[in-house]
């Protein structure tokens, strides 16, 4: 089958995966442009790993379709696994193998000589190549997975919760490596529940909740929604303020997200005994949690 839609590294149309009566993912619609650094955000259990495993052909979809690097995820999954780089959230290796043997085996199954790049990556990540994998800490196991995923310079890197187990200094080096790969033309699909990682490094992001995509846009657009975070100190009863159109609680009774008419808000506030008023831009995390607590602008 010829490759299609090559401008997309990933294209998903109504992709659904159910486990009997249990929810997996439901009618996902998502496109990732080639060359993007894409953040896939959601809490544990939201459907991130199910989406990734379905895209890679590791599990079969219940319905819908998707392509990765122009290849169909059902009929051409071997080609996807050959060309993409994948770092699962949980790393498992065959016991008894040394780190260098695992890395070489990963290169050999792709029939590529990755010796030079693997060596550079291992040095940057501080890997002991002669250690046996069963002796490695979680962080060092993750480093081995990173080298295996990146050493063949894939056109697409799919990373599922990649920073768990890495200390802050190593996380910084890891993101430096990812930026270099992205600058060289690789598409990065980065799954995480740590919103600051996405805000600091990704160009585009999608939020997944209960197996459904609830928003997808450029990170800079998500950061400029026009929403303000308002924190008040003083009044004892906020119920009539909450009744104003466009106000959503933001985690505490005196903290609100507001996208409405500021004149209307200020008229109400002017009649209150307020000790302090702070108006700030919400962080991406706060915007994300607001989307989680509301649906299409209203309460769920």
């Amino acid at each position: 089958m010829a490759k299609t839609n090559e401008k997309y590294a990933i294209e998903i149309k109504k992709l659904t995966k159910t486990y009997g009566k249990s929810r997996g993912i439901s009618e996902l619609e998502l496109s990732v442009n080639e060359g993007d650094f894409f953040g896939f955000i959601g809490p544990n259990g939201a459907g991130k790993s199910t989406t990734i495993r379905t895209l890679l052909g590791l599990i079969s979809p219940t319905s819908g379709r998707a392509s990765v690097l122009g290849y169909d995820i059902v009929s051409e999954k071997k080609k996807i696994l050959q060309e993409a780089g994948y770092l699962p959230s949980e790393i498992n290796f065959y016991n008894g193998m040394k780190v260098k043997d695992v890395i070489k085996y990963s290169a050999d199954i792709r029939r590529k000589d990755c010796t030079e790049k693997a060596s550079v990556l291992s040095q940057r990540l501080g890997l002991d190549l002669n250690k046996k994998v069963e002796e490695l800490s979680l962080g060092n196991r993750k480093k081995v997975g990173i080298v295996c995923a990146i050493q063949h310079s894939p056109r697409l890197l799919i990373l599922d919760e990649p920073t768990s187990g890495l200390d802050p200094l190593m996380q910084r080096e890891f993101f430096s490596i990812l930026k270099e790969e992205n600058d060289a033309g690789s598409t990065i699909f980065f799954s995480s529940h740590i919103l600051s990682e996405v805000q600091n490094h990704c160009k585009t992001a999608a939020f997944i909740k209960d197996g459904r995509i609830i928003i997808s846009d450029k990170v800079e657009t998500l950061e400029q929604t026009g929403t303000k975070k308002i924190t008040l100190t003083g009044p004892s009863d906020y119920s009539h303020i909450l009744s104003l159109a466009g106000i959503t609680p933001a985690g505490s009774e005196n903290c609100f997200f507001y996208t409405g008419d500021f004149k209307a808000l200020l008229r109400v506030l002017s009649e209150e005994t307020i000790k302090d008023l702070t108006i700030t831009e919400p962080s991406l995390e706060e915007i994300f949690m607001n989307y989680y607590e509301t649906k299409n602008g209203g309460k769920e």
Side-chain angles (χ1 to χ4, degrees):
M1 183 182 294
K3 294 200 292 181
T4 59
N5 297 322
E6 292 200 40
K7 67 175 181 177
Y8 294 126
I10 297 173
E11 187 176 28
I12 301 173
K13 297 289 187 181
K14 295 188 179 300
L15 191 65
T16 297
K17 175 63 182 178
T18 56
Y19 302 93
K21 294 182 179 179
S22 300
R23 172 194 57 77
I25 54 176
S26 181
E27 297 192 334
L28 294 194
E29 294 273 346
L30 189 65
S31 297
V32 178
N33 290 325
E34 286 198 354
D36 203 351
F37 198 134
F38 193 96
F40 193 47
I41 314 169
N44 294 330
K48 301 189 303 298
S49 293
T50 297
T51 302
I52 287 172
R53 291 169 185 161
T54 306
L55 288 175
L56 290 168
L58 302 177
I59 55 178
S60 299
T62 303
S63 62
R65 61 185 179 86
S67 63
V68 174
L69 296 174
Y71 298 117
D72 181 80
I73 63 170
V74 175
S75 62
E76 299 175 297
K77 60 186 179 182
K78 289 184 179 179
K79 293 179 180 178
I80 294 171
L81 292 172
Q82 183 72 21
E83 293 194 26
Y86 171 48
L87 179 67
S89 56
E90 297 180 4
I91 308 291
N92 294 299
F93 303 113
Y94 294 115
N95 287 344
M97 296 182 72
K98 291 183 178 180
V99 169
K100 62 183 178 182
D101 298 325
V102 172
I103 294 172
K104 186 176 185 302
Y105 175 73
S106 177
D108 287 346
I109 61 176
R110 291 186 169 87
R111 300 177 182 178
K112 290 188 176 182
D113 181 359
C114 305
T115 306
E116 184 177 349
K117 187 164 184 176
S119 176
V120 171
L121 289 170
S122 298
Q123 289 177 18
R124 292 179 66 174
L125 294 171
L127 265 178
D128 183 344
L129 296 176
N130 290 307
K131 268 200 170 183
K132 290 190 175 181
V133 291
E134 62 265 31
E135 300 172 352
L136 298 178
S137 65
L138 170 62
N140 281 319
R141 292 170 75 87
K142 186 60 65 80
K143 293 176 190 177
V144 177
I146 291 169
V147 175
C148 291
I150 296 177
Q151 64 176 338
H152 60 294
S153 301
R155 289 172 51 207
L156 171 65
L157 264 171
I158 297 180
L159 310 165
D160 193 359
E161 300 284 354
T163 59
S164 61
L166 299 180
D167 64 52
L169 286 177
M170 199 52 60
Q171 287 182 27
R172 185 168 65 181
E173 184 64 25
F174 170 63
F175 280 113
S176 178
I177 291 170
L178 289 188
K179 185 179 185 304
E180 291 167 14
E181 294 298 311
N182 187 234
D183 289 345
S186 292
T187 305
I188 312 293
F189 187 83
F190 182 89
S191 168
S192 180
H193 68 277
I194 303 173
L195 294 156
S196 60
E197 293 182 341
V198 174
Q199 187 166 21
N200 292 335
H201 302 286
C202 296
K203 301 172 185 175
T204 315
F207 299 154
I208 184 170
K209 176 186 179 184
D210 297 333
R212 293 179 180 270
I213 301 293
I214 57 174
I215 186 172
S216 179
D217 213 329
K218 296 289 185 183
V219 169
E220 62 184 19
T221 302
L222 293 171
E223 293 172 332
Q224 297 170 4
T225 59
T227 300
K228 300 295 182 183
K229 180 182 176 183
I230 299 170
T231 306
L232 303 174
T233 304
S236 58
D237 181 11
Y238 297 92
S239 59
H240 59 292
I241 299 176
L242 284 171
S243 69
L244 285 174
I247 289 189
T248 305
S252 64
E253 63 178 8
N254 68 324
C255 188
F256 315 104
F257 287 129
Y258 188 70
T259 55
D261 182 354
F262 264 88
K263 288 183 180 180
L265 175 63
L266 292 174
R267 277 197 299 269
V268 173
L269 296 180
S270 67
E271 298 176 0
E272 302 295 326
T273 305
I274 297 173
K275 295 180 181 178
D276 194 17
L277 167 64
T278 304
I279 302 175
T280 58
E281 298 286 342
S283 67
L284 185 62
E285 179 169 3
E286 289 166 329
I287 293 169
F288 177 43
M289 293 312 298
N290 185 38
Y291 271 105
Y292 258 59
E293 291 163 2
T294 61
K295 186 177 182 179
N296 297 326
K299 294 290 183 63
E300 287 188 315

